[in-house]
Amino acid sequence: LDTGQLLDGYNSEECGWDGGDCVIDDYPDCHVDNTGFIGDGICHNTVFLAGGLILEGYNTEECGWDGGDCAEFNEKYPACTVDMPQALENGVCEGSIHLVNGLILDGYNTEECGWDG
């Protein structure tokens, strides 16, 4: 605890949010598994990592809409709830996204998401 790094299993209220390592100064009520994704310039609803690990909770009011990274996305597409907003407006029409682990993400080519931006 309090090592300056997020430690797996310690990001909880009982462990003091890893001795404070998991507390984000501007967003003290934001409790995500990897604080490095907050405000990194990419809008994250969900983060998919190797081995099938899924991290959620970034595009929330508590996390400042991913440290402001999702503000434009949320304004343009308020009813769009896709997992990977960065896949919109990327020059590729994504009806579905097939991830390496076999997971399929749907909902990109919809009216709510601006027909994939």
Side-chain angles (χ1 to χ4, degrees):
L1 297 176
D2 197 19
T3 61
Q5 297 179 350
L6 297 174
L7 298 174
D8 191 31
Y10 293 91
N11 188 12
S12 66
E13 187 173 9
E14 297 78 24
C15 292
W17 309 114
D18 192 5
D21 292 338
C22 298
V23 177
I24 304 168
D25 291 337
D26 293 336
Y27 312 106
D29 293 325
C30 176
H31 303 293
V32 293
D33 289 321
N34 188 328
T35 59
F37 290 119
I38 300 291
D40 68 352
I42 299 171
C43 176
H44 302 284
N45 274 343
T46 305
V47 177
F48 299 92
L49 300 175
L53 186 60
I54 299 172
L55 308 178
E56 299 178 304
Y58 295 86
N59 186 13
T60 63
E61 185 175 4
E62 295 80 14
C63 293
W65 312 115
D66 193 15
D69 294 339
C70 294
E72 182 179 345
F73 166 77
N74 292 337
E75 186 176 312
K76 285 177 81 171
Y77 309 107
C80 181
T81 59
V82 295
D83 289 309
M84 297 173 55
Q86 66 271 26
L88 297 177
E89 299 182 3
N90 65 356
V92 178
C93 179
E94 310 276 9
S96 297
I97 296 175
H98 299 261
L99 300 178
V100 175
N101 64 1
L103 190 62
I104 299 173
L105 308 177
D106 292 316
Y108 292 82
N109 190 21
T110 63
E111 184 175 3
E112 295 82 10
C113 296
W115 304 112
D116 195 8

